[in-house]
Amino acid sequence: MLETLRTAAGTWIAKLLLLLLVLSFAVWGISGQIGNGIGGNSVVTAGATSVSPNEYRLAYDRQLGLLSQRFGQRLTREQATALGVDNLVLSQLVSGALLSEQARKLGLGLSKDRIAALTAEDPAFQGPDGRFSRQQFDYVLREVGMRPEDYLTNRAQEAVREQIIDAVAEGMKAPDAFLRALALYSGEDRTVDYLSLPRSTVGPVPAPDDAALSAWFDERKQQYAAPEYRKIAYVKLEPEDIADESAISDEQVRADYEKNKTRYTTAETRTIEQLVFPSRAAADEAAAALQGGTPFDKVVEAQGKTLADVHLGTLAKDRVPDRAVAEAAFTLGANEVSPVVDGSFGAVLVRVTAINPETVRSYEDVAPEIRKDLALGEAHRVLLDVHDSYEDARAGGETLAEAASKLKLAVVTIDAVDQTGRRPDGMVLADLPASSELLRGAFDTEVGVENQAINIGSDGYVFYEVQGITPARDRALDEVKDKVIADWTAAETDKRLSDKVAELEKRLKDGTPFDTIAGELALEKQTKRGLKRGADDADFGSAGVEAAFDVAQGGSGAFAAPTGDARILFQVTEVFEPAASSPDAVLEAERRNHSTGLVNDMLDQLVARLEGEYPVRVDQAAMARALAF
């Protein structure tokens, strides 16, 4: 991570951004301790151009703010040093000083009107209306400890540097010839024949003799060492651990049942159909037809609808959207049709096709649930009292077991567990409460020490102590012989498979047909078509694709399968270039990246040339003084 950040920060993209030392002050803020009292020496001089300690500190804080924003937290000075911020800022200021010196030699400058315009355009100095605010300007500069004349001088200096940068970089883009070559390169696809050789290709490996096994084990003894184990006793305190159902009387259970009887009641539901008519007259005509013996289904069909169209659902009364329909539906018997109802959406006929009566769970059926819930509620209420009683008992000299026993809490003892939660037999303890915190705490304490309780969620605790420590040690071969044999066999199998594949690859390169090798191995040759450079193929993986594009047509190679333990032997049989190699085939974002790379190279060369023309001096003591405030 550090190396990546240092590399990225060293590009001209970063340099260009960080040359503008006074922009975006309001993002993270800059130390209010910066002023004119840092010291009079220059941190950097390039010819007749110098960089003051104040400017170095401003640039340092600016870079620190940008990185803090990237990480989501304010970085400390130690973290900044680890990231190389001090050296990065120095490099940027040297580059800026060289450009300023070149501008001075060329006689470049900026009018006062242009400086004023650039200042007015700075978002940091704009008010709520989006226009320049002198009050905001004074406030921002006061916060960063900079005088207005210093800001204007620096802003003019940066604008002059930009003139040089623009003269070098303006309009520069990747040449069409380069982009065409890139289109050919990235658009190529290949056909690859391959064999997947599993471990079974080399057959079963004979067991090692004692001498070979002992030598192999001695070279890897640390790999089989026994870790430190600790004996841990803990007490878990959650509402479930102290809930006492026997303390809840029948009267309490009965009273709760009567109070919350609706909770155990399932309301009556009915399966309802509603047929809406365009007018009351049409509804009355349909009702008359029903009275005359016409089935409801036929009335629905006459309206150009199906039974699915009129199905409202199986609903409780309070869930029916239309109150008039609800009242009508819940007065009907099964398969009865209502008179015409004036519903919210017009005249309606309602039919009920099924009735599910209201059901009430009996007291006897729900009493155990109620008793448990009441006990848990009481446990929640007294949990902190139990916690305090345990702590008081320990403070009074009682042991963990004595304090737990007094409060009727269970003590759980783990005879041996390592820092990863494994027992000596290799099994993982899956039921440890707050396992990560408990193990971390247990391996940070000593035997017999009373430790601070660990919180479990919002209403639970774990009290624990270490009762014994078994130090880490080297195991003898006899203790882990079965595992050592298994590991040796796997490693030897992999070695033999690699050797086998290397032999086959040599035969391919010497001219043996791929089909001949496949036949000798009794393996099915497979073909991968349309393989693209940079793909993450399911069978090859990204490493396998890279290997396939590292050889010419007819070339061969081998790589580890992306999953499992097989090795892949391959041969490139066809190479297809794209039909068109226009620069437009390269994505716009990629074209911009390559153009930026050319600009970066050109600007790096410019700075290197200027370093040869103008002597550069760095005062490390002045740097240290600048960062001491």
Side-chain angles (χ1 to χ4, degrees):
M1 171 64 77
L2 295 181
E3 188 61 35
T4 300
L5 286 173
R6 292 190 185 109
T7 300
T11 67
W12 256 99
I13 293 298
K15 292 177 184 176
L16 291 176
L17 288 173
L18 293 161
L19 283 174
L20 303 178
L21 304 179
V22 293
L23 297 182
S24 303
F25 290 146
V27 176
W28 279 89
I30 298 178
S31 174
Q33 297 176 342
I34 300 173
N36 295 325
I38 291 179
N41 296 333
S42 298
V43 173
V44 174
T45 58
T49 300
S50 63
V51 177
S52 69
N54 187 37
E55 290 172 316
Y56 176 79
R57 179 59 184 268
L58 283 170
Y60 182 92
D61 276 5
R62 168 64 176 159
Q63 174 67 355
L64 189 63
L66 289 173
L67 289 176
S68 297
Q69 189 176 33
R70 182 181 301 174
F71 284 105
Q73 64 180 36
R74 187 72 183 178
L75 298 181
T76 65
R77 179 66 56 78
E78 292 74 18
Q79 290 170 326
T81 299
L83 291 170
V85 172
D86 45 1
N87 293 328
L88 170 63
V89 171
L90 179 63
S91 173
Q92 294 158 356
L93 291 177
V94 167
S95 300
L98 287 167
L99 290 172
S100 292
E101 179 64 6
Q102 178 69 5
R104 188 185 69 80
K105 282 294 186 71
L106 293 174
L108 300 179
L110 213 65
S111 69
K112 292 183 179 180
D113 289 342
R114 182 54 183 157
I115 295 173
L118 290 173
T119 303
E121 293 168 3
D122 192 329
F125 304 140
Q126 293 174 357
D129 60 355
R131 302 174 62 184
F132 175 77
S133 166
R134 180 55 190 264
Q135 182 180 3
Q136 180 72 4
F137 176 80
D138 292 337
Y139 169 76
V140 170
L141 295 188
R142 186 169 59 251
E143 285 295 300
V144 301
M146 177 178 275
R147 298 179 304 174
E149 53 267 33
D150 292 335
Y151 168 81
L152 294 174
T153 299
N154 284 347
R155 190 66 187 90
Q157 186 181 55
E158 300 306 329
V160 170
R161 293 174 187 172
E162 290 176 41
Q163 292 180 35
I164 300 176
I165 293 170
D166 288 343
V168 174
E170 186 69 26
M172 184 173 289
K173 63 179 183 178
D176 286 350
F178 172 82
L179 294 176
R180 278 194 293 269
L182 182 62
L184 284 171
Y185 178 82
S186 59
E188 176 187 312
D189 67 77
R190 298 187 166 200
T191 301
V192 180
D193 289 342
Y194 68 98
L195 293 174
S196 178
L197 285 76
R199 283 180 170 178
S200 58
T201 304
V202 295
V205 176
D209 58 36
D210 290 343
L213 189 64
S214 180
W216 199 83
F217 172 74
D218 289 341
E219 291 177 3
R220 300 163 178 81
K221 186 172 290 187
Q222 189 60 38
Q223 177 180 332
Y224 299 98
E228 178 182 308
Y229 290 102
R230 297 206 166 195
K231 181 178 181 180
I232 303 171
Y234 71 85
V235 174
K236 182 169 71 72
L237 174 58
E238 290 186 287
E240 293 82 357
D241 299 308
I242 57 174
D244 184 5
E245 295 183 21
S246 65
I248 305 300
S249 67
D250 292 342
E251 290 75 14
Q252 289 175 284
V253 177
R254 173 64 76 172
D256 188 87
Y257 175 77
E258 296 298 337
K259 179 181 178 181
N260 300 293
K261 200 167 187 178
T262 55
R263 185 185 304 168
Y264 312 108
T265 300
T266 301
E268 175 187 339
T269 60
R270 296 189 171 205
T271 302
I272 304 170
E273 296 172 338
Q274 65 172 7
L275 179 58
V276 182
F277 293 88
S279 65
R280 178 64 187 238
D284 288 341
E285 182 180 343
L290 289 170
Q291 289 290 332
T294 302
F296 185 79
D297 297 5
K298 293 295 184 182
V299 174
V300 170
E301 185 178 337
Q303 295 298 313
K305 298 178 181 178
T306 66
L307 291 179
D309 296 329
V310 301
H311 181 73
L312 187 62
T314 301
L315 305 168
K317 186 175 183 179
D318 61 353
R319 305 300 296 172
V320 179
D322 191 323
R323 300 313 308 157
V325 171
E327 292 296 336
F330 277 78
T331 59
L332 298 172
N335 295 312
E336 287 186 359
V337 180
S338 71
V340 177
V341 176
D342 293 322
S344 301
F345 299 101
V348 178
L349 288 178
V350 178
R351 181 170 74 162
V352 171
T353 59
I355 299 175
N356 303 307
E358 176 185 271
T359 59
V360 181
R361 296 178 67 190
S362 68
Y363 168 77
E364 291 74 18
D365 185 30
V366 299
E369 298 176 22
I370 297 174
R371 192 180 302 277
K372 181 178 180 179
D373 289 342
L374 291 175
L376 279 174
E378 179 65 14
H380 275 282
R381 190 183 67 80
V382 302
L383 185 75
L384 288 179
D385 293 335
V386 177
H387 170 276
D388 293 344
S389 296
Y390 176 90
E391 295 283 11
D392 291 343
R394 292 304 308 268
E398 294 185 11
T399 65
L400 178 144
E402 291 169 343
S405 176
K406 179 183 293 186
L407 297 169
K408 298 181 180 179
L409 295 172
V411 178
V412 179
T413 301
I414 303 168
D415 290 327
V417 63
D418 70 12
Q419 202 161 1
T420 67
R422 294 182 183 274
R423 301 184 309 195
D425 62 3
M427 297 297 292
V428 176
L429 291 172
D431 56 352
L432 279 179
S435 59
S436 297
E437 294 86 349
L438 178 57
L439 290 170
R440 183 165 57 249
F443 277 83
D444 283 342
T445 187
E446 300 298 331
V447 173
V449 173
E450 181 184 353
N451 302 285
Q452 184 175 356
I454 297 171
N455 291 334
I456 307 176
S458 60
D459 57 358
Y461 304 91
V462 176
F463 307 98
Y464 69 96
E465 69 179 20
V466 174
Q467 297 183 339
I469 298 176
T470 303
R473 64 180 180 85
D474 287 338
R475 287 189 174 106
L477 175 58
D478 288 344
E479 295 180 74
V480 289
K481 190 170 184 178
D482 289 344
K483 178 169 176 53
V484 174
I485 291 175
D487 291 346
W488 179 93
T489 302
E492 180 65 18
T493 302
D494 286 341
K495 178 181 179 300
R496 295 188 182 192
L497 181 58
S498 295
D499 292 343
K500 179 71 172 179
V501 171
E503 174 198 338
L504 296 173
E505 185 181 349
K506 183 177 183 304
R507 290 179 60 193
L508 277 176
K509 291 177 178 177
D510 290 342
T512 304
F514 203 87
D515 289 332
T516 299
I517 292 176
E520 291 174 357
L521 297 172
L523 293 174
E524 180 182 357
K525 180 186 75 174
Q526 301 181 68
T527 300
K528 178 74 64 175
R529 301 184 186 280
L531 195 63
K532 288 285 190 181
R533 193 186 303 273
D536 187 9
D537 185 77
D539 298 315
F540 280 27
S542 56
V545 172
E546 184 177 348
F549 278 87
D550 276 346
V551 299
Q553 183 170 342
S556 59
F559 57 88
T563 58
D565 50 25
R567 297 279 298 175
I568 304 293
L569 178 70
F570 72 88
Q571 186 172 50
V572 176
T573 59
E574 296 176 310
V575 175
F576 299 99
E577 293 184 351
S581 58
S582 167
D584 295 336
V586 180
L587 296 176
E588 175 63 26
E590 194 171 357
R591 292 204 299 271
R592 286 198 302 269
N593 286 339
H594 288 293
S595 296
T596 300
L598 291 175
V599 171
N600 291 345
D601 291 343
M602 185 66 73
L603 292 173
D604 280 334
Q605 291 180 43
L606 172 62
V607 170
R609 176 66 179 271
L610 295 177
E611 283 181 311
E613 291 188 19
Y614 307 122
V616 175
R617 188 179 67 85
V618 176
D619 188 339
Q620 296 288 343
M623 284 177 55
R625 286 195 299 272
L627 296 181
F629 282 73

